[in-house]
């Protein structure tokens, strides 16, 4: 990927880094000299992925942090671990994602897919904003999907009507609305936030997705490689021509117009703040 500029001295954090697009992103960032923190679901798989990145790139600047993002407490531990050991963060790529065939509830009593795909990243980003503001210019990238649907604020946790495609679609629209609302709140800073649909990519997404997962697995051989899928997020995270560009939706490496409700984006932000306990008294959230 010859378009990626030199990243010496830059600190990057990537969630969902233990496989697929996440691992591919980490490899390319490391090849350009960045210090890369790989956030993985568990220690064993994380260490394997870390070794894979080190072997592929020869980099000695790879760190692995193991946290299950389905727990908001774990997300807080992750942010604390990072900020206690790093003074800077230049690139944050919120990549972790799941599909769940049957409704599952997290330790916080929240719908599992909504938390892993969206709410954990909302919380993590807010907890790391102060560090990123000290490291400007910086970029936040949310890896989203073209399969995004509406948000039902009356049944946000999908207790009344659940399906794999509904939970996934809602969580991905939440990521997109989060991107646009955060971009407004970052105006006047040197931080940008954009979201990227990487295309249909061969990953482990869908392994637990019920009938939807079966469909994904059947189609998987026809999908793009993780390396190809990583190109879009990497472009948004590193391209010089995107310096200062914020609040945009990219499909792979092309900007696309998305029609959305600004009222829903603001409402989702307020609901998310309450669900995460970011009520203004938490200094880390400011």
């Amino acid at each position: 990927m010859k378009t990626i500029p030199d990243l010496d001295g830059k600190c990057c954090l990537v969630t969902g880094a233990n496989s697929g697009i996440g691992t591919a992103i980490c490899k390319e960032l490391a090849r350009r000299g960045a210090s890369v923190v790989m956030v993985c679901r568990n220690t064993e798989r994380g260490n394997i992925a870390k070794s894979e990145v080190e072997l592929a790139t020869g980099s000695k600047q790879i760190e692995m942090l193991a946290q299950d993002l389905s727990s908001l407490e774990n997300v807080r531990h992750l942010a604390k671990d990072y900020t206690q050991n790093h003074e800077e963060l230049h690139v944050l790529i919120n990549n972790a994602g799941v599909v769940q065939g049957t409704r599952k509830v997290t330790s916080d009593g929240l719908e599992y897919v909504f938390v892993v795909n969206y709410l954990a990243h909302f919380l993590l980003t807010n907890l790391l904003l102060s560090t990123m503001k000290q490291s400007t210019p910086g970029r936040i990238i949310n890896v989203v999907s073209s399969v995004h649907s509406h948000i039902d604020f009356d049944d946000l946790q999908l207790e009344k009507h659940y399906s794999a495609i509904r939970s996934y679609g809602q969580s991905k629209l939440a990521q997109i609305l989060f991107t646009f609302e955060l971009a407004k709140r970052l105006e006047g800073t040197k931080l940008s936030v954009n979201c990227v649909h990487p295309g249909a990519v061969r990953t482990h997404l869908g392994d637990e997705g019920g009938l939807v997962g079966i469909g994904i697995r059947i189609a998987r051989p026809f999908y793009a490689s993780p390396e190809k899928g990583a190109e879009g997020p990497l472009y948004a995270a590193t391209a010089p021509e995107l310096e200062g560009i914020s609040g945009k939706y990219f499909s792979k490496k092309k900007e696309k117009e998305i029609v959305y409700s600004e009222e829903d984006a603001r409402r989702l932000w307020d609901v998310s703040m309450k669900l995460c306990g970011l009520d203004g008294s938490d200094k880390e959230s400011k």
Side-chain angles (χ1 to χ4, degrees):
M1 298 182 186
K2 297 179 181 179
T3 58
I4 300 177
D6 185 67
L7 296 174
D8 281 342
K10 301 294 185 181
C11 298
C12 306
L13 185 147
V14 182
T15 69
N18 55 282
S19 64
I21 294 176
T23 304
I25 289 172
C26 291
K27 287 178 182 178
E28 294 304 323
L29 293 173
R31 286 190 179 110
R32 287 297 182 179
S35 297
V36 181
V37 177
M38 304 174 65
V39 178
C40 303
R41 189 183 304 182
N42 64 71
T43 302
E44 181 181 4
R45 186 64 189 90
N47 283 331
I48 292 173
K50 177 175 179 287
S51 297
E52 181 182 334
V53 174
E54 290 174 333
L55 182 63
T57 66
S59 174
K60 302 299 182 183
Q61 302 181 88
I62 310 298
E63 180 182 352
M64 193 280 293
L65 295 179
Q67 288 290 358
D68 182 347
L69 298 183
S70 69
S71 163
L72 297 182
E73 181 180 3
N74 286 354
V75 175
R76 289 182 175 276
H77 286 312
L78 170 61
K80 186 176 182 180
D81 285 347
Y82 185 88
T83 55
Q84 284 184 337
N85 294 288
H86 303 271
E87 295 182 353
E88 296 182 314
L89 178 60
H90 302 94
V91 175
L92 170 61
I93 301 181
N94 292 317
N95 166 72
V98 296
V99 174
Q100 191 70 33
T102 57
R103 186 175 184 273
K104 183 178 177 181
V105 178
T106 70
S107 57
D108 300 290
L110 303 172
E111 196 270 312
Y112 182 82
V113 175
F114 182 76
V115 173
V116 175
N117 291 5
Y118 163 66
L119 197 61
H121 291 130
F122 175 91
L123 176 58
L124 179 63
T125 301
N126 274 281
L127 294 177
L128 294 176
L129 276 182
S130 60
T131 299
M132 293 198 75
K133 287 177 180 178
Q134 297 171 12
S135 321
T136 54
R139 302 188 193 188
I140 301 163
I141 308 301
N142 293 320
V143 179
V144 298
S145 172
S146 61
V147 185
H148 53 264
S149 57
H150 80 291
I151 293 180
D152 186 350
F153 286 99
D154 294 324
D155 188 24
L156 195 60
Q157 303 307 320
L158 303 182
E159 297 174 282
K160 300 175 183 177
H161 304 287
Y162 182 89
S163 71
I165 193 66
R166 189 177 181 207
S167 67
Y168 184 76
Q170 176 175 261
S171 70
K172 289 301 175 179
L173 178 57
Q175 283 184 292
I176 294 170
L177 295 182
F178 168 48
T179 301
F180 295 154
E181 182 64 20
L182 180 58
K184 292 181 179 179
R185 294 169 183 264
L186 291 177
E187 288 179 0
T189 72
K190 292 184 179 180
L191 288 181
S192 65
V193 55
N194 294 295
C195 55
V196 181
H197 165 51
V201 182
R202 291 193 302 272
T203 69
H204 290 293
L205 185 70
D207 285 355
E208 299 176 357
L211 291 176
V212 171
I214 292 174
I216 292 173
R217 292 194 294 276
I218 291 173
R220 192 175 286 164
F222 303 99
Y223 290 169
S225 67
E227 291 73 22
K228 193 69 177 177
E231 290 182 359
L234 285 163
Y235 171 73
T238 64
E241 62 268 29
L242 296 185
E243 189 67 47
I245 301 299
S246 191
K248 304 297 183 181
Y249 175 99
F250 293 89
S251 179
K252 300 179 183 178
K253 294 192 285 186
K254 294 184 178 181
E255 182 183 338
K256 300 288 185 179
E257 291 293 330
I258 294 289
V259 177
Y260 75 102
S261 167
E262 294 185 10
E263 181 181 352
D264 282 355
R266 289 191 296 269
R267 184 178 180 184
L268 179 64
W269 182 282
D270 292 340
V271 170
S272 302
M273 290 288 283
K274 292 178 181 178
L275 290 174
C276 291
L278 299 177
D279 57 3
S281 61
D282 186 340
K283 293 181 181 179
E284 288 182 300
S285 69
K286 296 180 179 179

